[in-house]
Amino acid sequence: MKFFIDTANVEAIRKAHERGMVDGVTTNPSLVAKEGKDFRKIVDEIASFVTGPISLEAVSEDAEGMMKEARELNSWIDNAAIKIPMTWEGLKVVKQCADEGIQTNVTLCFSANQALLAAKAGASFVSPFIGRLDDVGHTGMELIESIAQIYVNYGFETEIIVASIRHPIHVYEAALIGADIATIPPAVLDKMVNHPLTDIGIQKFLDDWKKVPKK
Ligand code: E4P
């Protein structure tokens, strides 16, 4: 299972990278806005140490504008994956990008049929937003199971990025399903290592070690 880090915060990505947990990065306009820094500068900083796919979102609404952005963003770094929203205009761009060898990540996916369209258009990645589905009373993770089954049925190569992850159980459930990738917010990644019995166990071993006679 690949771990992408879902943030535009360079220091958070660096920390996760030093822990050996970064196979790629996903950003979106909201995450970039939080940083209050020039987008290009952020992207160059991330790309200076992340070699896996870095998702950069196009914000035009028409195919022509999105395609122009896709080519521009793709020229910035060697490992860009252009985030394209799940619309008919977006799907045209996904197809064109596939023809031009530009990686794409179809974003804002909320149904299995949308994911089917993304795969047929030739998307490199599709991002179903499970947390936002949970927010409106659906079980987001069921969508991941459905998409995974559909992609297996037809041998689609589009990789599923489980997105909008809110807590460690989302990562666990995604892993059980066998999702290709989870894009994990830094705070969720931090929590994944924790277990109270680990802390108690370490403390007990340290305390007992003090009792071992030294010579
Ligand atoms: C992923 O690519 C998205 O940017 C992200 O997971 C959205 O998460 P949110 O629903 O917490 O904003």
Side-chain angles (χ1 to χ4, degrees):
M1 186 188 207
K2 284 176 271 187
F3 281 7
F4 287 4
I5 302 301
D6 195 24
T7 183
N9 184 281
V10 178
E11 287 325 305
I13 298 165
R14 200 183 299 280
K15 189 169 146 193
H17 173 72
E18 284 165 3
R19 293 170 168 177
M21 293 296 154
V22 180
D23 299 304
V25 170
T26 51
T27 66
N28 65 36
S30 307
L31 292 172
V32 173
K34 269 195 216 166
E35 299 307 311
K37 276 162 69 175
D38 176 64
F39 185 35
R40 176 74 193 260
K41 192 171 181 313
I42 291 173
V43 172
D44 286 341
E45 281 178 26
I46 299 171
S48 70
F49 61 95
V50 172
T51 53
I54 301 172
S55 287
L56 311 174
E57 191 148 342
V59 291
S60 300
E61 290 178 77
D62 62 305
E64 197 185 333
M66 265 186 263
M67 195 61 229
K68 198 165 162 239
E69 278 186 78
R71 291 190 184 113
E72 168 72 15
L73 293 169
N74 190 57
S75 74
W76 288 3
I77 53 174
D78 290 338
N79 46 340
I82 312 305
K83 263 184 149 178
I84 304 289
M86 170 50 73
T87 60
W88 284 121
E89 287 298 285
L91 289 171
K92 287 194 256 176
V93 173
V94 171
K95 169 85 176 64
Q96 182 64 34
C97 283
D99 291 345
E100 294 185 22
I102 299 173
Q103 293 195 97
T104 52
N105 173 0
V106 174
T107 188
L108 293 165
C109 171
F110 293 97
S111 79
N113 275 340
Q114 288 182 327
L116 178 57
L117 294 173
K120 281 194 69 68
S124 319
F125 306 99
V126 66
S127 290
F129 276 32
I130 56 155
R132 294 193 195 185
L133 279 170
D134 289 355
D135 290 345
V136 295
H138 292 271
T139 306
M141 204 56 71
E142 285 174 5
L143 176 59
I144 303 300
E145 287 185 71
S146 304
I147 298 170
Q149 182 62 60
I150 289 167
Y151 283 8
V152 165
N153 288 350
Y154 297 100
F156 285 123
E157 287 177 7
T158 303
E159 290 186 83
I160 302 170
I161 304 179
V162 180
S164 187
I165 280 177
R166 300 279 163 78
H167 47 69
I169 294 171
H170 276 150
V171 182
Y172 160 71
E173 290 174 341
L176 273 186
I177 293 168
D180 302 296
I181 301 154
T183 190
I184 308 174
V188 174
L189 183 66
D190 282 347
K191 286 180 192 163
M192 285 172 65
V193 82
N194 293 336
H195 197 290
L197 292 179
T198 303
D199 299 339
I200 291 166
I202 289 173
Q203 195 54 56
K204 172 93 173 88
F205 285 154
L206 291 175
D207 292 345
D208 288 345
W209 189 246
K210 286 184 194 143
K211 297 174 199 158
V212 175
K214 311 287 182 310
K215 275 258 175 157

